[in-house]
Amino acid sequence: MTVMPSNLPCLIDPASLREDPLAFLARARSRFGDAIIIGHGAPLFSPAADCPGVVALFGSHHHRQVLADFRSFVSPESTARALGLPDNIINLNRSLHSMHGRQHETHKSVLAEAMTPALLVRQQASIVAAVDSFADAWRQAGSIPIFAGMRSLIAEVAVILLFGEAHPSRGELQAVLDQYFDVRRLVSATQPNGAVAEVGNALDAALSAAIDAADGKDGLPARLAADLGDAAARAHINVLFMSMAEPVTVAVTWLLLILSQQPALRRDLRAAYLGKTAKAVLPVKIEHAILESLRLLSPSAVMVRVTSREVACADAVLPPGCEIVLAPFLAHRDPAVFPQPTLFQPERWTRKTPSVFEYLPFGAGVHACIGRRLAISLIGMIVGEMLVRADPVLTYEQAVDWRIDITFRPRFDIEMSATNILCSSTRGVVRWHGPVAQLIEF
């Protein structure tokens, strides 16, 4: 049996970890420093097989080592592979994180060229129309569960970006992509679900048909298929959809909730968005609000890697198969990097440029998210277009809680209303409370 290093401090408390993983990690670091064993004999955050233990690492120096050395610290095995699902479904989950060397460089180059804010500009009219339709329905409904609402809107926008507004099967593609995302979230290596194979096969077939229909046409599916092959195109489109449908949904939801508590900031961002002069340029005030929201409520609160071989780290030698836990949530609250770390202060970004290993909502190193600029621009466009159509506020005072379920997201949905902009200066603030409210000061 592989033994964990004896010279690292150890804090094993599964109950506390399950109850509040972020508070547990914060206590562990405060008590023991930047490298702590927090698990023995099994993984905590991934389906990693033959895992001798789990080590939590903190500090930009450890982030740099883990995220830059992609050969020693690899992404966990995919759930599809752990379940022994067919190769075509395993392929659907292949992304840049599973690639190395020349293959990684080739695929990254093609994707980086395609996934830029220019993609938003080309589809801007369709995206604006989708937001307009959503805002109109929101106003008529009076109140909606905001996370579910944003999930629906952003799934629609993601399919527009990936396939184009005019694609004849856009609605069907969105439905099957959504369905696959949902069943994949619910399945685990210890609780196999045959629905994954069924829905995965349906998605694989739908993506194949969409790529065949796009042959010879201008568009992302045809470009990816021409440059990387059909199988890689299907995989990248699915992963790109998941990357927009979940993290962007979470980011927009958190930002709207923060803005519900800040009427003056809503008015400032609305004015900035109305005053912008170029389609592809996001107003600085909106970008800074996004960066600050991602700092305090980052969808990627925890990141996981697995050691592929014996590796020296933190004055110890970690064995192969060791699960490594990084916590961007805590890194973003380091007072040495971010003074008054719990204060929501967008203006700090006018003077602050942290390193990519201090501020990492999009990861860092070789496998950092290549769509960072696209994601920020997309969040800004959706929030900006929403603000010029309505004033988003809490429908009533509510407790806002969080959970980690792939991403750091609301535990329960929150009711929000789209109210008249003209009344925004006279309306009182409907306050939130609860665990998320305790994470942020205004």
Side-chain angles (χ1 to χ4, degrees):
M1 180 179 178
T2 305
V3 178
M4 294 294 286
S6 60
N7 61 328
L8 287 182
C10 186
L11 180 62
I12 309 295
D13 188 350
S16 293
L17 181 62
R18 283 193 300 270
E19 180 181 354
D20 189 338
L22 300 177
F24 172 83
L25 291 171
R27 286 196 303 271
R29 186 186 191 189
S30 176
R31 183 175 173 185
F32 292 111
D34 286 350
I36 311 106
I37 295 173
I38 61 170
H40 274 303
L44 295 172
F45 292 92
S46 74
D50 301 319
C51 175
V54 184
V55 175
L57 295 173
F58 307 96
S60 59
H61 56 300
H62 285 140
H63 297 161
R64 183 183 300 276
Q65 179 181 1
V66 171
L67 298 175
D69 184 0
F70 62 92
R71 296 191 184 280
S72 299
F73 301 92
V74 300
S75 296
E77 181 182 41
S78 74
T79 301
R81 188 176 295 279
L83 288 172
L85 293 172
D87 288 345
N88 67 315
I89 299 175
I90 292 173
N91 173 69
L92 287 175
N93 302 300
R94 282 179 55 79
S95 68
L96 292 175
H97 283 276
S98 61
M99 299 177 185
H100 303 289
R102 180 167 295 180
Q103 183 191 38
H104 178 266
E105 292 174 7
T106 300
H107 286 241
K108 183 176 180 179
S109 175
V110 172
L111 288 165
E113 190 175 344
M115 303 304 292
T116 69
L119 185 62
L120 282 180
V121 175
R122 289 196 294 273
Q123 299 292 347
Q124 182 167 7
S126 299
I127 294 170
V128 169
V131 175
D132 189 52
S133 176
F134 177 87
D136 185 56
W138 187 5
R139 284 191 298 267
Q140 291 185 39
S143 175
I144 63 168
I146 192 62
F147 185 75
M150 288 301 104
R151 171 86 186 275
S152 175
L153 171 63
I154 291 164
E156 180 182 359
V157 169
V159 172
I160 290 172
L161 287 172
L162 294 173
F163 296 99
E165 192 277 334
H167 194 286
S169 302
R170 183 163 63 86
E172 296 171 23
L173 284 165
Q174 181 178 334
V176 72
L177 282 161
D178 252 342
Q179 189 179 10
Y180 180 73
F181 181 86
D182 286 337
V183 297
R184 184 176 175 270
R185 175 194 290 284
L186 295 173
V187 76
S188 72
T190 56
Q191 294 178 317
N193 187 340
V196 179
E198 181 180 350
V199 178
N201 282 324
L203 175 59
D204 193 51
L207 291 175
S208 293
I211 290 168
D212 288 344
D215 186 32
K217 299 178 183 177
D218 185 27
L220 189 61
R223 181 174 180 180
L224 293 180
D227 291 345
L228 304 174
D230 284 9
R234 295 196 301 275
H236 287 309
I237 288 170
N238 179 52
V239 171
L240 289 170
F241 176 84
M242 290 190 292
S243 298
M244 285 187 266
E246 178 75 2
V248 173
T249 294
V250 173
V252 171
T253 298
W254 287 135
L255 181 53
L256 287 175
L257 285 166
I258 287 172
L259 291 177
S260 77
Q261 305 300 290
Q262 296 282 288
L265 181 58
R266 293 200 303 272
R267 291 193 293 272
D268 286 349
L269 299 189
R270 183 178 296 119
Y273 194 79
L274 286 169
K276 71 188 184 86
T277 56
K279 290 182 178 180
V281 178
L282 192 65
V284 170
K285 282 188 175 182
I286 294 180
E287 180 163 352
H288 288 175
I290 294 168
L291 295 176
E292 186 71 343
S293 178
L294 290 173
R295 182 182 73 82
L296 286 166
L297 300 174
S298 176
S300 55
V302 173
M303 300 171 64
V304 179
R305 295 292 186 269
V306 177
T307 54
S308 63
R309 55 194 177 192
E310 191 174 87
V311 57
C313 180
D315 298 321
V317 177
L318 304 180
C322 184
E323 187 177 74
I324 304 299
V325 178
L326 309 179
F329 180 91
L330 298 182
H332 295 172
R333 284 167 166 72
D334 185 342
V337 181
F338 302 100
Q340 297 180 281
T342 60
L343 182 65
F344 181 79
Q345 191 179 52
E347 57 269 24
R348 77 171 74 235
W349 294 93
T350 62
R351 57 186 182 274
K352 185 67 187 176
T353 308
S355 81
V356 295
F357 297 104
E358 295 170 327
Y359 177 72
L360 51 165
F362 298 97
V366 175
H367 287 137
C369 175
I370 60 168
R372 178 183 184 276
R373 288 306 316 168
L374 175 63
I376 290 174
S377 297
L378 177 58
I379 294 166
M381 178 182 288
I382 289 173
V383 172
E385 293 292 338
M386 202 70 71
L387 286 174
V388 301
R389 288 165 170 77
D391 203 38
V393 298
L394 292 183
T395 305
Y396 48 84
E397 289 193 8
Q398 295 164 75
V400 180
D401 201 352
W402 60 268
R403 64 173 172 162
I404 295 178
D405 181 10
I406 301 179
T407 57
F408 177 83
R409 54 178 286 190
R411 180 179 294 275
F412 309 108
D413 220 329
I414 304 100
E415 288 291 324
M416 290 190 71
S417 299
T419 58
N420 193 317
I421 294 170
L422 299 178
C423 302
S424 63
S425 60
T426 58
R427 184 186 301 108
V429 178
V430 181
R431 294 296 180 188
W432 65 4
H433 55 90
V436 173
Q438 295 167 13
L439 297 175
I440 301 178
E441 296 177 87
F442 295 112

